[in-house]
Amino acid sequence: MKWDDTSVHILSHTLHYGTGVFEGVRAYKTPKGPAIFRLKEHTNRLFSAADKINIKIPFTKDELNNIQCEILNKNSLDEGYIRPIVYLGNEGLGLRAKDLSVNVAIAAWEWPSYMDPKAKEKGISVIKSSHLQYENPLHSGNKIIGTYFSNTMALHEAIDSGADEAIMLDKNGYISEGSGENIFLVKNNVIYTPTTDHCLNGITRQSVIQMAKDLNISVREQNIKFDDLVQADEAFFTGTAVEITPITSLDGKHINDGKKGQVTNQLQEKFQEIISGKNQDYDNWLTYSK
Ligand code: PMP
């Protein structure tokens, strides 16, 4: 459908109660045409999130994967952002509504940069958020629409205070993640990132852990205190939107003298090679749309 012709009924259950799931996927320009980064992993996560909230997606994974390739080709997009969303219909009203239709929409558009284009070099500033992440373990690790309310509040709080992003803590007081990113820190050349008990197991997170191991850099997944971040040599966010973005200021204080760190840089360079189709070792992370 054309952009302006799309619509959702105002009584969609999902609009009222957040009962749906979504993904954020990205395609990159490569010498072999547009390539979707880790498409299968994104689609698997979409299905497992739907499963967690008892929604049965009325399509196969292959069907959704093929449509995501097709949508790029039909729109002549060399690169861009792809947003699959699964939402419930309006056949019944109220919380108790049953047997609602399950609908899937997939949109794609050009999307050059999520933050300031200079963020990947200059780094960004973050604050400790007053909003907690995932109080209910059922929601941890799933892109369930309703759970994004607190992420949105956390991001607004950060922006209102003049920062670029928020760091959310979990209910035990450990670092969880950004509003739409996973967090990593580097101390004495070892990389640390929170376990996935209270954060989304980001596809970029998983990719960065693999890349770091391949570069012989140790990675430890463990509980991280806010103070560990204050003391870090380097810190960075990962995510489909931000890719790998250095964090150079925390609650107004510099990390690594306000500069991008060396480990962050090494990972960024490797990531760039992979997504642009220039590293054959990771070619199975790309799905070519043509
Ligand atoms: N955490 C949250 C809350 C997110 O919304 C995202 C974006 N999907 C991430 C982390 C990063 O995940 P990914 O690398 O799969 O984009």
PDB file of all heavy atoms in Angstrom, residues 36-50:
ATOM      1  N   ILE A  36      19.688  -7.226   4.094  1.00  0.00           N
ATOM      2  CA  ILE A  36      19.055  -7.029   5.403  1.00  0.00           C
ATOM      3  C   ILE A  36      19.933  -7.694   6.457  1.00  0.00           C
ATOM      4  O   ILE A  36      20.341  -8.850   6.311  1.00  0.00           O
ATOM      5  CB  ILE A  36      17.634  -7.623   5.429  1.00  0.00           C
ATOM      6  CG1 ILE A  36      16.799  -7.022   4.277  1.00  0.00           C
ATOM      7  CG2 ILE A  36      16.965  -7.362   6.776  1.00  0.00           C
ATOM      8  CD1 ILE A  36      15.364  -7.522   4.202  1.00  0.00           C
ATOM      9  N   PHE A  37      20.243  -6.929   7.486  1.00  0.00           N
ATOM     10  CA  PHE A  37      21.139  -7.421   8.536  1.00  0.00           C
ATOM     11  C   PHE A  37      20.389  -8.347   9.487  1.00  0.00           C
ATOM     12  O   PHE A  37      19.408  -7.937  10.110  1.00  0.00           O
ATOM     13  CB  PHE A  37      21.734  -6.218   9.291  1.00  0.00           C
ATOM     14  CG  PHE A  37      22.758  -6.608  10.329  1.00  0.00           C
ATOM     15  CD1 PHE A  37      23.965  -7.176   9.955  1.00  0.00           C
ATOM     16  CD2 PHE A  37      22.507  -6.411  11.674  1.00  0.00           C
ATOM     17  CE1 PHE A  37      24.915  -7.537  10.902  1.00  0.00           C
ATOM     18  CE2 PHE A  37      23.452  -6.769  12.634  1.00  0.00           C
ATOM     19  CZ  PHE A  37      24.653  -7.337  12.241  1.00  0.00           C
ATOM     20  N   ARG A  38      20.820  -9.593   9.564  1.00  0.00           N
ATOM     21  CA  ARG A  38      20.326 -10.599  10.513  1.00  0.00           C
ATOM     22  C   ARG A  38      18.786 -10.718  10.512  1.00  0.00           C
ATOM     23  O   ARG A  38      18.134 -10.730  11.570  1.00  0.00           O
ATOM     24  CB  ARG A  38      20.889 -10.335  11.908  1.00  0.00           C
ATOM     25  CG  ARG A  38      22.408 -10.136  11.841  1.00  0.00           C
ATOM     26  CD  ARG A  38      23.142 -10.516  13.077  1.00  0.00           C
ATOM     27  NE  ARG A  38      23.095 -11.946  13.303  1.00  0.00           N
ATOM     28  CZ  ARG A  38      23.768 -12.572  14.284  1.00  0.00           C
ATOM     29  NH1 ARG A  38      24.527 -11.879  15.099  1.00  0.00           N
ATOM     30  NH2 ARG A  38      23.688 -13.861  14.432  1.00  0.00           N
ATOM     31  N   LEU A  39      18.265 -10.796   9.301  1.00  0.00           N
ATOM     32  CA  LEU A  39      16.806 -10.854   9.126  1.00  0.00           C
ATOM     33  C   LEU A  39      16.165 -12.023   9.892  1.00  0.00           C
ATOM     34  O   LEU A  39      15.142 -11.865  10.551  1.00  0.00           O
ATOM     35  CB  LEU A  39      16.484 -10.936   7.626  1.00  0.00           C
ATOM     36  CG  LEU A  39      15.014 -11.121   7.253  1.00  0.00           C
ATOM     37  CD1 LEU A  39      14.160  -9.978   7.768  1.00  0.00           C
ATOM     38  CD2 LEU A  39      14.856 -11.244   5.738  1.00  0.00           C
ATOM     39  N   LYS A  40      16.798 -13.202   9.781  1.00  0.00           N
ATOM     40  CA  LYS A  40      16.174 -14.386  10.420  1.00  0.00           C
ATOM     41  C   LYS A  40      16.090 -14.202  11.933  1.00  0.00           C
ATOM     42  O   LYS A  40      15.090 -14.558  12.556  1.00  0.00           O
ATOM     43  CB  LYS A  40      17.011 -15.630  10.108  1.00  0.00           C
ATOM     44  CG  LYS A  40      16.850 -16.088   8.682  1.00  0.00           C
ATOM     45  CD  LYS A  40      17.223 -17.569   8.557  1.00  0.00           C
ATOM     46  CE  LYS A  40      17.087 -17.998   7.109  1.00  0.00           C
ATOM     47  NZ  LYS A  40      18.386 -18.077   6.421  1.00  0.00           N
ATOM     48  N   GLU A  41      17.143 -13.629  12.509  1.00  0.00           N
ATOM     49  CA  GLU A  41      17.152 -13.430  13.966  1.00  0.00           C
ATOM     50  C   GLU A  41      16.054 -12.445  14.380  1.00  0.00           C
ATOM     51  O   GLU A  41      15.388 -12.619  15.399  1.00  0.00           O
ATOM     52  CB  GLU A  41      18.513 -12.912  14.436  1.00  0.00           C
ATOM     53  CG  GLU A  41      19.631 -13.948  14.381  1.00  0.00           C
ATOM     54  CD  GLU A  41      20.266 -14.120  13.013  1.00  0.00           C
ATOM     55  OE1 GLU A  41      19.797 -13.493  12.030  1.00  0.00           O
ATOM     56  OE2 GLU A  41      21.238 -14.892  12.912  1.00  0.00           O
ATOM     57  N   HIS A  42      15.861 -11.398  13.579  1.00  0.00           N
ATOM     58  CA  HIS A  42      14.798 -10.431  13.897  1.00  0.00           C
ATOM     59  C   HIS A  42      13.426 -11.105  13.826  1.00  0.00           C
ATOM     60  O   HIS A  42      12.572 -10.891  14.685  1.00  0.00           O
ATOM     61  CB  HIS A  42      14.846  -9.241  12.933  1.00  0.00           C
ATOM     62  CG  HIS A  42      15.889  -8.228  13.290  1.00  0.00           C
ATOM     63  ND1 HIS A  42      15.748  -7.358  14.341  1.00  0.00           N
ATOM     64  CD2 HIS A  42      17.088  -7.944  12.747  1.00  0.00           C
ATOM     65  CE1 HIS A  42      16.812  -6.579  14.432  1.00  0.00           C
ATOM     66  NE2 HIS A  42      17.648  -6.919  13.475  1.00  0.00           N
ATOM     67  N   THR A  43      13.236 -11.910  12.782  1.00  0.00           N
ATOM     68  CA  THR A  43      11.921 -12.546  12.613  1.00  0.00           C
ATOM     69  C   THR A  43      11.686 -13.572  13.718  1.00  0.00           C
ATOM     70  O   THR A  43      10.577 -13.686  14.253  1.00  0.00           O
ATOM     71  CB  THR A  43      11.819 -13.171  11.205  1.00  0.00           C
ATOM     72  OG1 THR A  43      12.072 -12.121  10.271  1.00  0.00           O
ATOM     73  CG2 THR A  43      10.459 -13.771  10.943  1.00  0.00           C
ATOM     74  N   ASN A  44      12.737 -14.286  14.094  1.00  0.00           N
ATOM     75  CA  ASN A  44      12.581 -15.240  15.211  1.00  0.00           C
ATOM     76  C   ASN A  44      12.170 -14.504  16.477  1.00  0.00           C
ATOM     77  O   ASN A  44      11.320 -14.963  17.235  1.00  0.00           O
ATOM     78  CB  ASN A  44      13.903 -15.982  15.479  1.00  0.00           C
ATOM     79  CG  ASN A  44      14.179 -17.011  14.404  1.00  0.00           C
ATOM     80  OD1 ASN A  44      13.283 -17.388  13.655  1.00  0.00           O
ATOM     81  ND2 ASN A  44      15.423 -17.451  14.310  1.00  0.00           N
ATOM     82  N   ARG A  45      12.787 -13.348  16.702  1.00  0.00           N
ATOM     83  CA  ARG A  45      12.463 -12.592  17.920  1.00  0.00           C
ATOM     84  C   ARG A  45      11.021 -12.083  17.871  1.00  0.00           C
ATOM     85  O   ARG A  45      10.314 -12.070  18.888  1.00  0.00           O
ATOM     86  CB  ARG A  45      13.464 -11.440  18.097  1.00  0.00           C
ATOM     87  CG  ARG A  45      13.361 -10.778  19.452  1.00  0.00           C
ATOM     88  CD  ARG A  45      14.499  -9.808  19.712  1.00  0.00           C
ATOM     89  NE  ARG A  45      14.460  -8.659  18.812  1.00  0.00           N
ATOM     90  CZ  ARG A  45      15.385  -7.697  18.792  1.00  0.00           C
ATOM     91  NH1 ARG A  45      16.431  -7.762  19.596  1.00  0.00           N
ATOM     92  NH2 ARG A  45      15.282  -6.681  17.955  1.00  0.00           N
ATOM     93  N   LEU A  46      10.573 -11.688  16.685  1.00  0.00           N
ATOM     94  CA  LEU A  46       9.179 -11.226  16.537  1.00  0.00           C
ATOM     95  C   LEU A  46       8.209 -12.343  16.912  1.00  0.00           C
ATOM     96  O   LEU A  46       7.243 -12.130  17.649  1.00  0.00           O
ATOM     97  CB  LEU A  46       8.941 -10.786  15.081  1.00  0.00           C
ATOM     98  CG  LEU A  46       7.566 -10.212  14.779  1.00  0.00           C
ATOM     99  CD1 LEU A  46       7.459  -8.781  15.293  1.00  0.00           C
ATOM    100  CD2 LEU A  46       7.275 -10.221  13.281  1.00  0.00           C
ATOM    101  N   PHE A  47       8.479 -13.546  16.402  1.00  0.00           N
ATOM    102  CA  PHE A  47       7.582 -14.677  16.694  1.00  0.00           C
ATOM    103  C   PHE A  47       7.636 -15.065  18.165  1.00  0.00           C
ATOM    104  O   PHE A  47       6.616 -15.399  18.756  1.00  0.00           O
ATOM    105  CB  PHE A  47       7.919 -15.889  15.798  1.00  0.00           C
ATOM    106  CG  PHE A  47       7.253 -15.811  14.457  1.00  0.00           C
ATOM    107  CD1 PHE A  47       7.719 -14.942  13.477  1.00  0.00           C
ATOM    108  CD2 PHE A  47       6.124 -16.572  14.169  1.00  0.00           C
ATOM    109  CE1 PHE A  47       7.093 -14.844  12.230  1.00  0.00           C
ATOM    110  CE2 PHE A  47       5.491 -16.484  12.934  1.00  0.00           C
ATOM    111  CZ  PHE A  47       5.981 -15.619  11.970  1.00  0.00           C
ATOM    112  N   SER A  48       8.838 -14.998  18.764  1.00  0.00           N
ATOM    113  CA  SER A  48       8.877 -15.419  20.170  1.00  0.00           C
ATOM    114  C   SER A  48       8.228 -14.373  21.064  1.00  0.00           C
ATOM    115  O   SER A  48       7.592 -14.711  22.069  1.00  0.00           O
ATOM    116  CB  SER A  48      10.286 -15.822  20.606  1.00  0.00           C
ATOM    117  OG  SER A  48      11.027 -14.706  20.934  1.00  0.00           O
ATOM    118  N   ALA A  49       8.305 -13.089  20.701  1.00  0.00           N
ATOM    119  CA  ALA A  49       7.617 -12.049  21.479  1.00  0.00           C
ATOM    120  C   ALA A  49       6.098 -12.243  21.375  1.00  0.00           C
ATOM    121  O   ALA A  49       5.377 -12.157  22.374  1.00  0.00           O
ATOM    122  CB  ALA A  49       8.008 -10.662  20.978  1.00  0.00           C
ATOM    123  N   ALA A  50       5.621 -12.548  20.168  1.00  0.00           N
ATOM    124  CA  ALA A  50       4.179 -12.759  19.966  1.00  0.00           C
ATOM    125  C   ALA A  50       3.716 -13.948  20.808  1.00  0.00           C
ATOM    126  O   ALA A  50       2.675 -13.900  21.466  1.00  0.00           O
ATOM    127  CB  ALA A  50       3.890 -13.001  18.486  1.00  0.00           C
TER     128      ALA A  50
END
